[in-house]
């Protein structure tokens, strides 16, 4: 290019590129904030931070509920013993409460999506508050039994009420599929921490009330149930502040329709807006057909049956087929869990190694701590291995370690195995919930999760009596080996049936 000649745009761009290439490369270090965000994303915390406020409300409810369950469970048998109930009567209470809780949970979870998830949570909180008040003022066995069933007081400290199924279904509804593993991991982690704090705080508080304040055993135990009711009130308040985003669209449309009918009951002419609303869903069109049948002298029984059918969950053929496979598999896993539940583990360590209650309490606190870490690691593992692979890869080692515990005669080795087993045992919980929520349709999640929890609870209730028979004959180690076997078979079944299953039914 000659002097004074104006360069073309292409030549100018080339010259500029050459100059830039000759300039030294200037780099800036990544801000520390980005590293922190990367860490929080890796452990799943960022998903919880970015999630809607409803998600954080549900996780908060999980923490305080498990705290209340941990406190109430720790003193339940002590409270009944202080009231003068026999061991046989206490055992009957636990069995009857378990089956009653299963029935209440089944009914509420089946109708939760139709009645409204917030309404079911509020009803559950009100019943929980009622049961705590009854336990704080009554000493009649049968009244306490009815209150325990209605208020879903868990004898084992585990979730047997309607809360978990409704909450897990709502969480899946609120967050995208790629974030569910993170959210469920923190949901499980926070629940474990709540239960651990509940057991520790209950023991400390009861001891302080008895030794420093001079309260009797019964009075100090009743104070715990007053605190139980207080937590229920807090849960009720937070449930009331959940948004409409927690509900299915079909429920919101039906609820809006009923409100419009109530407001326009004296108006015989439907507006264009009403007509569009009535035609918005297939369910509402069925309402119109039912009304026509009734006006033309059709069977009122058919109309009533159709209206009731709308409140029942409609599970698709594919999901029913999936349930027929999942329920036996989940029942196997729960049966193995029931064989060596925490009560029997406490008995085993106490009998074999002669350790005292204080050491047992510390042992289970360590177990809960490792379980919380396991739930945290599960979120990161699921991102790399996949949901089904993480379920199996973490659950199989946990089951094998469980079978190794009775082999050792060294207490430190047994504690080490127990801690490792506790950590790995929780790692499949969040992936399992992601799996269930991803394999069924969104309008089926609450009922399917409720059914799964019901069958798990029923299967888990069978194991303790079998372990009791083995323990009476000095062969409790057999329960460990049976538990290991059925749990590994569960993993094989999950891997065989669902490894290639497409998990995208969001």
């Amino acid at each position: 290019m000659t002097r004074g000649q104006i360069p073309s745009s292409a030549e100018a761009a080339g010259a500029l590129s050459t100059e830039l290439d000759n300039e030294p490369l200037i780099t800036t270090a990544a801000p520390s904030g980005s590293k922190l965000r990367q860490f929080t994303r890796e452990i799943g915390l960022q998903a919880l931070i970015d999630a809607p406020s409803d998600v954080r409300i549900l996780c908060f409810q999980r923490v305080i509920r498990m705290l209340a369950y941990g406190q109430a469970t720790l003193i339940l048998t002590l409270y009944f013993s202080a009231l003068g109930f026999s061991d046989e009567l206490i055992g009957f209470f636990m069995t009857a409460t378990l089956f009653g809780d299963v029935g209440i949970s089944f009914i509420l979870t089946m109708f939760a999506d139709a009645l409204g998830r917030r309404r079911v949570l509020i009803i559950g909180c009100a019943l929980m508050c009622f049961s705590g008040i009854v336990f704080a003022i009554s000493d009649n066995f049968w009244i306490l039994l009815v209150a325990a069933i209605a208020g879903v007081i868990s004898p084992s400290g585990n979730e047997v009420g309607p809360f978990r199924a409704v909450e897990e279904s709502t969480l899946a509804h609120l967050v995208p599929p790629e974030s569910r593993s993170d959210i469920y991991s923190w949901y499980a982690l926070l629940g474990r921490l709540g239960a651990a704090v509940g057991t520790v705080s209950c023991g400390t508080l009861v001891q302080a009330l008895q030794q420093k304040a001079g309260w009797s055993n019964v009075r100090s135990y009743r104070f715990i149930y007053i605190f139980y009711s207080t937590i229920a009130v807090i849960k009720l308040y937070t449930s009331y502040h959940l948004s409409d985003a927690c509900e299915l669209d079909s429920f919101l449309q039906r609820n809006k329709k009923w409100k419009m009918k109530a407001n326009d009951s004296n108006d015989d002419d439907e507006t264009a807006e009403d007509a569009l609303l009535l035609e918005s869903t297939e369910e509402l069109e069925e309402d119109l057909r039912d009304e026509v049948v009734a006006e033309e002298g059709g069977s009122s029984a058919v109309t009533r049956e159709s209206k009731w059918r709308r409140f029942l969950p409609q599970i698709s053929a594919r999901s029913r087929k999936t349930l027929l496979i999942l329920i036996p598999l989940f029942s196997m896993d729960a049966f193995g869990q029931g064989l060596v539940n925490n009560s029997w583990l406490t008995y085993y360590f106490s009998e074999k190694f002669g350790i005292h209650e204080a050491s047992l309490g510390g042992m289970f606190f360590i177990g809960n701590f490792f379980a919380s870490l396991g739930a945290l690691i599960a979120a990161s593992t699921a991102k790399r291995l996949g949901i089904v692979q993480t379920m199996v890869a973490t659950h199989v080692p946990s089951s094998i370690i469980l079978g190794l515990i009775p082999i050792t005669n060294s207490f430190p080795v047994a504690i080490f195995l127990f801690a490792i087993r506790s950590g790995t045992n929780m790692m499949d919980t969040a992936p399992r919930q992601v799996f269930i929520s991803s394999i069924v349709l969104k309008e089926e999640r609450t009922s399917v999760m409720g059914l799964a929890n019901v069958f798990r609870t029923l299967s888990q209730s069978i194991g303790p009596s079998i372990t009791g028979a083995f323990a009476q004959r000095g062969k409790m180690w057999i329960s460990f080996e049976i538990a290991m076997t059925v749990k590994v078979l569960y993993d094989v079944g999950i891997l065989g049936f669902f490894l290639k299953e497409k998990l995208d039914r969001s």
Side-chain angles (χ1 to χ4, degrees):
M1 182 176 64
T2 60
R3 184 176 182 179
Q5 185 178 359
I6 300 176
S8 65
S9 59
E11 292 171 341
L16 180 60
S17 177
T18 302
E19 292 178 3
L20 291 176
D21 289 342
N22 293 331
E23 288 292 329
L25 182 63
I26 301 176
T27 59
T28 57
S32 60
S34 64
K35 293 182 179 179
L36 177 62
R37 186 178 180 87
Q38 182 180 0
F39 174 73
T40 57
R41 185 182 295 109
E42 182 66 27
I43 64 174
L45 181 59
Q46 192 63 44
L48 184 62
I49 295 174
D50 297 336
S53 59
D54 290 329
V55 172
R56 292 188 287 275
I57 290 175
L58 292 173
C59 288
F60 171 74
Q61 290 189 349
R62 164 80 166 175
V63 173
I64 62 174
R65 182 174 69 255
M66 292 305 295
L67 187 151
Y69 283 173
Q71 289 187 333
T73 301
L74 187 68
I75 62 167
L76 181 62
T77 55
L78 299 176
Y79 181 42
F80 278 16
S81 179
L83 291 175
F85 300 150
S86 65
D87 293 342
E88 291 79 5
L89 207 55
I90 295 175
F92 170 76
F93 174 89
M94 291 185 176
T95 301
T97 301
L98 178 64
F99 283 100
D101 289 346
V102 167
I104 293 290
S105 302
F106 177 77
I107 294 172
L108 289 179
T109 52
M110 287 300 99
F111 288 90
D113 288 339
L115 294 176
R117 293 168 178 171
R118 284 175 299 180
R119 289 176 182 171
V120 170
L121 291 176
I122 289 173
I123 291 172
C125 293
L127 292 174
M128 182 177 173
C129 180
F130 161 77
S131 65
I133 293 174
V134 171
F135 267 68
I137 62 177
S138 177
D139 57 2
N140 183 279
F141 176 84
W142 299 107
I143 294 177
L144 292 174
L145 178 59
V146 172
I149 293 174
V152 197
I153 288 184
S154 172
S156 63
N158 296 323
E159 290 266 24
V160 295
F163 297 109
R164 180 175 176 177
V166 175
E167 288 175 354
E168 289 175 344
S169 175
T170 306
L171 290 174
H173 179 73
L174 291 171
V175 300
E178 59 271 15
S179 301
R180 288 175 190 161
S181 178
D182 295 334
I183 297 298
Y184 280 135
S185 295
W186 279 93
Y187 179 81
L189 181 152
L190 294 172
R192 276 284 184 164
L193 289 179
V197 172
T199 54
V200 171
S201 62
C202 178
T204 303
L205 182 58
V206 167
Q207 185 177 6
L209 291 174
Q210 293 176 358
Q211 295 182 357
K212 296 183 179 180
W215 287 20
S216 65
N217 290 351
V218 171
R219 187 182 180 187
S220 61
Y221 297 152
R222 285 178 170 172
F223 179 80
I224 296 299
Y225 286 104
I226 293 176
F227 189 75
Y228 184 89
S229 294
T230 303
I231 290 180
V233 172
I234 297 174
K235 273 180 54 62
L236 191 150
Y237 176 79
T238 55
S239 296
Y240 180 78
H241 284 80
L242 291 170
S243 71
D244 286 343
C246 297
E247 308 288 0
L248 290 176
D249 292 339
S250 58
F251 167 79
L252 295 175
Q253 291 170 344
R254 187 190 307 115
N255 200 36
K256 185 176 181 181
K257 174 200 169 185
W258 287 343
K259 289 181 179 179
M260 291 179 64
K261 282 188 174 181
N263 294 333
D264 302 334
S265 58
N266 297 326
D267 188 2
D268 295 330
D269 299 327
E270 287 185 346
T271 64
E273 182 181 355
D274 293 338
L276 288 174
L277 179 63
L278 291 175
E279 294 174 359
S280 60
T281 64
E282 181 179 336
E283 180 183 24
L284 298 183
E285 291 175 0
E286 185 179 350
D287 288 348
L288 291 177
R289 289 195 297 270
D290 291 341
E291 292 174 4
V292 170
V293 170
E295 291 174 359
E296 294 179 355
S299 172
S300 59
V302 174
T303 303
R304 287 194 299 270
E305 179 184 357
S306 178
K307 290 183 180 296
W308 274 107
R309 191 169 62 246
R310 285 194 299 272
F311 289 93
L312 294 173
Q314 303 298 319
I315 301 179
S316 63
R318 175 184 169 184
S319 297
R320 288 197 298 269
K321 181 179 178 181
T322 300
L323 275 176
L324 290 176
I325 300 173
L326 277 181
I327 287 178
L329 290 175
F330 283 166
S331 298
M332 289 173 58
D333 181 46
F335 170 70
Q337 187 71 23
L339 285 169
V340 284
N341 60 22
N342 286 345
S343 297
W344 279 123
L345 281 172
T346 301
Y347 177 84
Y348 174 80
F349 278 95
S350 177
E351 288 294 311
K352 184 168 184 177
F353 300 105
I355 59 176
H356 300 290
E357 288 79 1
S359 298
L360 288 171
M363 182 186 77
F364 278 96
F365 182 82
I366 292 174
N368 280 322
F369 175 76
F370 275 90
S372 300
L373 292 180
L376 191 62
I377 297 172
S380 178
T381 306
K383 296 174 184 176
R384 289 164 171 76
L385 294 183
I387 299 300
V388 175
Q389 293 89 332
T390 301
M391 290 172 59
V392 176
T394 57
H395 195 261
V396 168
S398 173
S399 303
I400 294 175
I401 292 172
L402 180 65
L404 295 177
I405 289 178
I407 296 177
T408 180
N409 292 319
S410 169
F411 179 65
V413 174
I415 289 294
F416 174 77
L417 292 175
F418 172 78
I420 299 301
R421 191 258 172 177
S422 297
T424 54
N425 187 46
M426 278 296 294
M427 290 183 69
D428 80 310
T429 301
R432 183 173 63 240
Q433 301 313 121
V434 176
F435 170 74
I436 298 175
S437 67
S438 302
I439 206 170
V440 299
L441 299 173
K442 63 180 181 180
E443 58 268 20
E444 304 169 344
R445 286 181 187 135
T446 305
S447 55
V448 168
M449 288 180 170
L451 280 172
N453 288 338
V454 164
F455 279 97
R456 283 182 62 85
T457 303
L458 290 175
S459 300
Q460 194 170 352
S461 66
I462 301 173
S465 59
I466 297 176
T467 301
F470 285 130
Q472 188 173 359
R473 292 167 175 78
K475 297 181 179 180
M476 188 175 170
W477 63 270
I478 298 178
S479 292
F480 285 83
E481 307 312 317
I482 295 176
M484 177 189 68
T485 302
V486 296
K487 282 176 165 289
V488 170
L489 289 176
Y490 153 79
D491 291 312
V492 172
I494 289 290
L495 197 63
F497 282 108
F498 299 105
L499 178 60
K500 297 182 179 180
E501 185 75 23
K502 189 176 181 181
L503 306 179
D504 62 349
R505 304 192 78 185
S506 57

